[in-house]
Amino acid sequence: HIVGLLPGEASVFRTVGGRVTDAVIEQLGMVAGLAKLLAGDEAELDVALIHHTSCGASLFGDHGVQQRLAATAGTSPEKVATLAIADPVDTVRGDLDRLRDSVLPARLRVSGYVYDVATGVLEPVEDTRVLRSTA
């Protein structure tokens, strides 16, 4: 609802902290592949990466939380730490870099935003641009 889309107008991937994970990259690759199958080489896909203020993943930077959460979730403290959000603007930029470094098709258009939960304002971090140069 924060970007004005109706149900069915977008695929939404929700992850802990809104972070780009290996699974997200794999799923975006599948969506891009499906778009190409359905629309051919002219298929267009826009990716809006959105993090938000006051995110619970900000707690993941605390060593004690990492230890306890890792034990509870059956993962490693290091994995929990990779999802930490100290500054949502920085993590959006980092996750956009991760998308650029991935094997996703270069023609994807990506943009990054931070949603302020107190004001309801969606602030752009990075304007929409092609994922990376194909040259």
Side-chain angles (χ1 to χ4, degrees), residues 6 77 90:
L6 298 173
D90 288 342

Side-chain angles (χ1 to χ4, degrees), residues 41-116:
D41 288 333
E42 301 305 315
E44 295 183 356
L45 189 63
D46 289 293
V47 176
L49 178 64
I50 303 172
H51 291 191
H52 65 85
T53 59
S54 302
C55 184
S58 64
L59 299 173
F60 295 178
D62 178 271
H63 181 72
V65 170
Q66 292 168 9
Q67 298 295 320
R68 291 189 306 276
L69 188 55
T72 302
T75 190
S76 70
E78 295 79 18
K79 183 71 170 183
V80 174
T82 66
L83 300 174
I85 295 180
D87 179 341
V89 171
D90 288 342
T91 55
V92 165
R93 287 187 178 124
D95 282 349
L96 287 170
D97 287 342
R98 182 156 189 213
L99 289 174
R100 286 186 197 96
D101 293 341
S102 74
V103 297
L104 291 170
R107 70 184 182 285
L108 296 179
R109 290 185 307 266
V110 297
S111 53
Y113 305 88
V114 172
Y115 177 71
D116 187 317

